[in-house]
Amino acid sequence: MQSLMQSQQSRKLRAILKDPLLVITLLLSIFFVIIAIVLPLAAMVRESVSEAGLPLFQRYLSDSVYQTILLNTLVMGTVVGVVGTAVGFLFAFVQVRLRVPFKRLIHLIALVPVISPPFAVATAVIVLFGRSGTISRGVFGVRYDIYGLDGLTLVMSLSFFTVAYLNLRGMMEALDPALDEAATNLGANKWRIFRTVTLPMLLPGVASSFLLLFVEAIADLGNPLVLGGNYEVLATRIYVTIIGLYETTGAAVLSIILLVPSLTVFMIQRYWIGRIRVVSVTGKPSGTPQTIDHPLVRWGLYAVVLVVCALIVLIYGTIITGAFVQVPGVRWDFTLDHFDFVINGIGSQAMRDTSALSALATPIAGLIGMIIAYLVVRKEFLGRNLLDFGTMLGIAVPGTIIGIGYILMFNAPLVVGGVTLIPKLTGGQGIFGGALAIILVYIIRSAPAALRTGTAALSQIDPSIEEASFSLGADSARTFRRITLPLIRPAFLAGLIYAFARSMTTISAIVFLTTPQTKIMTQQILNEVENGRYGNAFAYCVILIVIVLVAISVLYFVVGTRTGAERRLEGGL
């Protein structure tokens, strides 16, 4: 048996070696993961276990202040994970299981947080519900302290619940209605069906959504900086350690402490997704999902969703309105001074740099994600799972940790045997003023999403289509370009959209890499918020959202348009 397996492995290896371009692609993918992800993380680990770093572990873990910070981080991640997942579940349930009006509008409102810049919601919440907020003080006469865990929970849950919503909505739509019908025929009421049939089927998706939101929350930097107040978390302490104290070793040690829960949750999620499979009997949905008709349940859940939608509209309406008034929340006189500051001032360079770097990183991230997905799904080789895991580290590792890793790894040229393999990438004297490092960070933060969408799309395509291409003499590159890529075009488009939106709105991963030569819009927004110039910050946010929407429209036009040959190919499947 063992000899048979070895024979199969050697045969698959020989098949790969027969295609030189495939070998080169595989080696380049491995090289990219090692250089862009593994080495920066290794540099951070090496710094943390250095002679100066090891004593800091005992100091931080035994200090009551740092114990409180760690506890704050875990509590915040847990609360945001629970609340965000609950809101996402509620939105998905209303979309799939209730007959109510304005579903399309609700769906569009739920997608708005995806394209918004970080801490834009936090800034608007301060204007609305802060100590001198338009609603809290102006309407109710209350000086409410929005800073802290309650404010962070509100802002992060609204910012991240879309991930849970999209995940759970897809799972709900894939459930076989025949299961509900069978339970109904056996005499079960709808509450019992939900509790004993629907919820267990959705449990993997609920757990996966919670874990994703937990990692997003503890890794977030922008919102705790703006709205944290005295509620300090590890991400903000790492930021202060680098920016305020210039202690890279201390920041590396804190990063390792933050990395432990992040990677633990990531590994649990991968294990859960990989080991637990809850499937229906038929494997394919048939019929129409049963809807909830009880008036109290139906309209009660719908009312809660409408309240959340109204809150989202209120917050983003404040962002847009605040960009056109003198002082948001104080003076509501119309003005274009904020846009003049952004467009004709330092913001013009930030817009050009951010858009250009995001435009460069987007196609690379999308293509790398699709190529690695193709290699992982379609090819058999040693270390296939490691390649997939290494790529996913780009999103599993908090952005602040990646930024510190790049500072430690690429603040000097990488020289091996007297040969410079990689030039200095960070700092003002680096290539393009550090722009290359920012592009790499954009790529590694976006490629995992393209990898996951590509993997899901490829798993639904019969491999015999590609095998027919091979039998006609086409190599792997030609087959991927002419057959595979057109068939996974929707996944490729989704990967590109995610890559551009995430690149334009990220802050934690590149906050340590910006230089006077390279200015990023999110960094400029943070500067304006920290200085209390909310109008300028809102103007930046509005322009950034417009840029993202225009880019998405262009991507839909360029990538979303199929050729006649591709339509015929899909029609023949």
Side-chain angles (χ1 to χ4, degrees):
M1 185 68 178
Q2 185 175 1
S3 61
L4 178 61
M5 294 179 60
Q6 292 176 347
S7 175
Q8 291 176 345
Q9 291 290 339
S10 61
R11 185 166 60 252
K12 293 174 181 177
L13 179 59
R14 286 195 300 270
I16 293 177
L17 294 177
K18 288 180 181 179
D19 192 338
L21 192 55
L22 178 60
V23 174
I24 294 174
T25 303
L26 178 59
L27 292 177
L28 287 177
S29 300
I30 296 173
F31 179 77
F32 167 78
V33 171
I34 291 175
I35 296 298
I37 303 176
V38 176
L39 286 184
L41 293 180
M44 187 193 63
V45 173
R46 184 177 64 248
E47 181 71 18
S48 66
V49 298
S50 64
E51 185 177 350
L54 283 175
L56 293 178
F57 277 102
Q58 182 178 2
R59 172 190 163 191
Y60 291 154
L61 293 176
S62 61
D63 192 318
S64 60
V65 173
Y66 286 93
Q67 290 175 352
T68 301
I69 292 174
L70 178 59
L71 180 62
N72 288 346
T73 304
L74 298 178
V75 169
M76 182 186 69
T78 302
V79 173
V80 172
V82 170
V83 175
T85 302
V87 174
F89 186 95
L90 181 60
F91 268 69
F93 192 82
V94 168
Q95 285 285 333
V96 178
R97 293 301 180 97
L98 298 185
R99 287 199 304 268
V100 291
F102 307 116
K103 282 189 177 183
R104 182 63 178 172
L105 179 60
I106 292 173
H107 174 71
L108 294 176
I109 292 175
L111 296 181
V112 169
V114 174
I115 62 171
S116 65
F119 44 76
V121 175
T123 308
V125 164
I126 292 174
V127 173
L128 291 170
F129 306 110
R131 299 185 183 98
S132 301
T134 304
I135 293 179
S136 58
R137 180 92 183 271
V139 177
F140 296 103
V142 177
R143 290 182 60 87
Y144 180 66
D145 187 2
I146 193 68
Y147 297 90
L149 179 60
D150 49 352
L152 289 173
T153 300
L154 171 65
V155 168
M156 289 187 177
S157 298
L158 291 178
S159 299
F160 301 146
F161 87 92
T162 306
V163 176
Y165 162 64
L166 294 176
N167 183 23
L168 293 170
R169 180 187 176 184
M171 292 191 68
M172 287 185 189
E173 291 175 338
L175 292 179
D176 193 344
L179 297 173
D180 291 354
E181 295 172 2
T184 301
N185 293 335
L186 292 174
N189 58 33
K190 291 191 175 181
W191 165 244
R192 184 176 178 84
I193 292 172
F194 173 78
R195 183 169 49 87
T196 61
V197 178
T198 305
L199 194 58
M201 297 285 287
L202 296 175
L203 189 58
V206 172
S208 174
S209 299
F210 168 79
L211 295 175
L212 282 173
L213 266 63
F214 177 88
V215 172
E216 288 279 359
I218 66 173
D220 187 53
L221 173 63
N223 288 308
L225 278 177
V226 174
L227 206 56
N230 294 327
Y231 194 87
E232 191 172 7
V233 294
L234 277 174
T236 54
R237 177 50 66 105
I238 293 171
Y239 175 81
V240 171
T241 303
I242 285 283
I243 300 299
L245 303 177
Y246 307 104
E247 294 182 4
T248 55
T249 303
V253 172
L254 290 172
S255 297
I256 292 296
I257 297 174
L258 178 59
L259 188 61
V260 171
S262 299
L263 283 185
T264 300
V265 168
F266 177 66
M267 294 297 295
I268 293 174
Q269 183 199 21
R270 283 179 65 89
Y271 177 83
W272 190 287
I273 296 295
R275 298 292 181 182
I276 296 182
R277 290 289 184 266
V278 182
V279 296
S280 63
V281 176
T282 62
K284 183 179 181 180
S286 59
T288 303
Q290 291 188 4
T291 57
I292 305 300
D293 298 321
H294 192 287
L296 184 61
V297 176
R298 177 185 176 189
W299 296 112
L301 296 179
Y302 186 56
V304 175
V305 168
L306 289 182
V307 169
V308 177
C309 288
L311 183 59
I312 295 174
V313 171
L314 176 64
I315 288 173
Y316 283 92
T318 301
I319 293 173
I320 296 173
T321 304
F324 292 94
V325 299
Q326 290 286 348
V327 183
V330 179
R331 292 182 55 190
W332 297 95
D333 303 332
F334 178 82
T335 182
L336 294 176
D337 291 345
H338 306 308
F339 286 97
D340 179 68
F341 171 84
V342 173
I343 296 174
N344 298 320
I346 195 174
S348 59
Q349 181 186 347
M351 285 188 292
R352 289 195 304 270
D353 290 351
T354 308
S355 301
L357 297 181
S358 299
L360 287 172
T362 295
I364 300 174
L367 195 58
I368 287 177
M370 291 298 125
I371 290 174
I372 295 179
Y374 178 75
L375 293 172
V376 169
V377 175
R378 289 291 191 254
K379 302 299 177 182
E380 294 280 351
F381 56 90
L382 185 65
R384 182 180 59 170
N385 291 332
L386 285 177
L387 178 61
D388 177 79
F389 177 78
T391 306
M392 291 304 298
L393 284 177
I395 198 172
V397 175
T400 49
I401 297 178
I402 291 178
I404 293 171
Y406 269 66
I407 291 175
L408 295 172
M409 185 67 209
F410 300 125
N411 210 30
L414 178 61
V415 180
V416 178
V419 179
T420 301
L421 295 181
I422 303 176
K424 177 181 177 180
L425 301 183
T426 60
Q429 301 301 318
I431 293 181
F432 308 119
L436 190 54
I438 295 175
I439 291 176
L440 280 177
V441 170
Y442 283 167
I443 293 172
I444 66 173
R445 298 291 282 177
S446 304
L451 169 61
R452 289 275 72 87
T453 56
T455 300
L458 284 170
S459 63
Q460 297 175 343
I461 297 175
D462 192 341
S464 62
I465 300 173
E466 295 157 328
E467 293 170 1
S469 175
F470 295 141
S471 65
L472 293 174
D475 58 13
S476 295
R478 183 177 179 85
T479 300
F480 178 78
R481 187 179 70 254
R482 299 295 298 274
I483 304 296
T484 308
L485 197 55
L487 290 176
I488 60 174
R489 179 187 291 272
F492 184 48
L493 176 62
L496 292 177
I497 291 173
Y498 178 88
F500 188 84
R502 188 174 184 91
S503 298
M504 289 291 297
T505 59
T506 190
I507 178 65
S508 59
I510 52 91
V511 68
F512 305 125
L513 304 178
T514 55
T515 67
Q517 290 77 21
T518 306
K519 299 186 182 300
I520 302 299
M521 289 185 71
T522 49
Q523 177 69 63
Q524 300 305 316
I525 296 173
L526 179 60
N527 292 340
E528 297 303 312
V529 171
E530 287 182 333
N531 288 290
R533 296 190 289 262
Y534 292 162
N536 293 343
F538 287 150
Y540 268 116
C541 293
V542 170
I543 293 174
L544 193 152
I545 292 174
V546 170
I547 293 174
V548 172
L549 291 176
V550 170
I552 290 175
S553 301
V554 172
L555 288 172
Y556 264 107
F557 178 78
V558 175
V559 182
T561 304
R562 296 179 299 173
T563 65
E566 290 165 1
R567 285 194 293 268
R568 289 193 298 272
L569 180 61
E570 291 190 15
L573 295 181

